[in-house]
Amino acid sequence: MTAPVVTIDGPSGSGKGTLCQMLAHQLGWHLLDSGALYRLTGMAADQRGIDLAEESAVAEIASSLDVAFIPGEPGEPTRVILDGADVSTELRSERSGGLASQVAVLPAVRKALLQRQRDFAQLPGLVADGRDMGTVVFPQAGLKVFLTASAEERAERRAKQLKAKGESVNLGALLGEIQARDERDSQREHAPLKPAGDAVQLDSTGLAIEEVFQRVLTLVSTRFAVIDQGD
Ligand code: DC
């Protein structure tokens, strides 16, 4: 039996990450944070002093990433170990997001990460978080959601997260970075950020994460009703 897959795609700050963690936890399914693989590739290349435009060298890093994801307790973030070192904090930084966005434009890197991502589809099921989960990586997924929110609201959410970590925040600069990354992610030639033709589109602007979670959970239980009945 093949594992059921739910894909959640959308721009950064749309609430995908939190939503996917809540879903995976509720359903008892595996979680793929595909953005983390792009971030790790960018970080590893940067650490080794490799020029991020050197496509084959960066792809080599992507295919040989020595990484472990250690799930946290419910509500706790997953710990990420790269080459034996805990990089969980650095992974979530704006800097690693920028590095990820640069390596994500390289087709050889996307290709190198494809099978690694597909290997996450294991029973009892998978929640896959990314930009091209429904369009490229899991085109046969049983449920595809495309989650958006206005750039202003995404910048405000990010500012709140950074303030909670005690970091200083420039809202205008954050908004500019988010818009630049959206532009790069949606305009790139390979696997651009766009909804799959059969995706359910959900705008989370003005919605609490709990409301988004309940809506998606309803979709999951409708789509996967057969599985829930144990057939
Ligand atoms: O979701 P995130 O912020 O961790 O993603 C970091 C970058 O990686 C983002 O700029 C786009 C890229 N990415 C991608 O191209 N494809 C994915 N499936 C996931 C992320």
Side-chain angles (χ1 to χ4, degrees), residues 12 16 33-36 38-39 92 97 100-101 104 110 117 129-133 181 185 188:
S12 52
K16 280 178 307 141
D33 173 2
S34 62
Y38 289 94
R39 286 171 184 260
R92 302 262 55 99
S101 180
R110 305 200 73 86
Q117 295 175 83
D129 167 350
R131 303 292 192 291
D132 61 342
M133 298 295 99
R181 192 175 318 164
D185 291 343
R188 69 174 176 232

Side-chain angles (χ1 to χ4, degrees), residues 16-231:
K16 280 178 307 141
T18 309
L19 171 66
C20 288
Q21 276 183 13
M22 290 167 83
L23 280 174
H25 178 241
Q26 173 74 26
L27 298 166
W29 287 9
H30 301 281
L31 174 65
L32 165 61
D33 173 2
S34 62
L37 295 175
Y38 289 94
R39 286 171 184 260
L40 288 162
T41 302
M43 284 162 59
D46 185 56
Q47 268 168 19
R48 291 171 207 182
I50 289 168
D51 179 349
L52 296 187
E54 285 288 331
E55 184 163 358
S56 57
V58 183
E60 176 57 34
I61 297 229
S63 55
S64 60
L65 274 181
D66 174 11
V67 59
F69 294 95
I70 303 173
E73 294 297 310
E76 295 287 317
T78 300
R79 280 177 54 224
V80 185
I81 313 294
L82 174 65
D83 292 330
D86 188 329
V87 294
S88 315
T89 305
E90 192 189 344
L91 184 74
R92 302 262 55 99
S93 69
E94 290 302 304
R95 183 163 189 277
S96 79
L99 294 171
S101 180
Q102 291 176 61
V103 300
V105 299
L106 305 171
V109 170
R110 305 200 73 86
K111 192 165 168 232
L113 292 177
L114 195 57
Q115 194 55 46
R116 193 185 274 260
Q117 295 175 83
R118 289 186 173 153
D119 290 343
F120 278 77
Q122 302 281 343
L123 289 169
L126 175 68
V127 178
D129 167 350
R131 303 292 192 291
D132 61 342
M133 298 295 99
T135 49
V136 176
V137 183
F138 302 108
Q140 313 297 343
L143 174 65
K144 301 177 184 177
V145 175
F146 193 81
L147 191 67
T148 55
S150 69
E152 289 72 17
E153 176 144 338
R154 289 185 283 130
E156 275 166 26
R157 289 177 187 170
R158 186 71 186 132
K160 226 187 214 172
Q161 286 172 349
L162 292 172
K163 275 186 198 153
K165 284 200 273 178
E167 292 182 30
S168 63
V169 171
N170 177 334
L171 194 59
L174 267 182
L175 179 60
E177 279 165 28
I178 284 179
Q179 287 168 330
R181 192 175 318 164
D182 282 359
E183 172 81 9
R184 191 157 50 197
D185 291 343
S186 56
Q187 298 304 318
R188 69 174 176 232
E189 197 180 335
H190 298 276
L193 172 65
K194 64 162 194 227
D198 52 351
V200 177
Q201 297 203 38
L202 196 56
D203 185 346
S204 71
T205 310
L207 292 182
I209 188 69
E210 186 61 32
E211 281 175 80
V212 178
F213 172 60
Q214 289 303 336
R215 286 190 197 190
V216 176
L217 209 52
T218 305
L219 290 170
V220 171
S221 52
T222 314
R223 292 289 169 97
F224 297 104
V226 178
I227 290 158
D228 285 344
Q229 285 158 14
D231 285 336

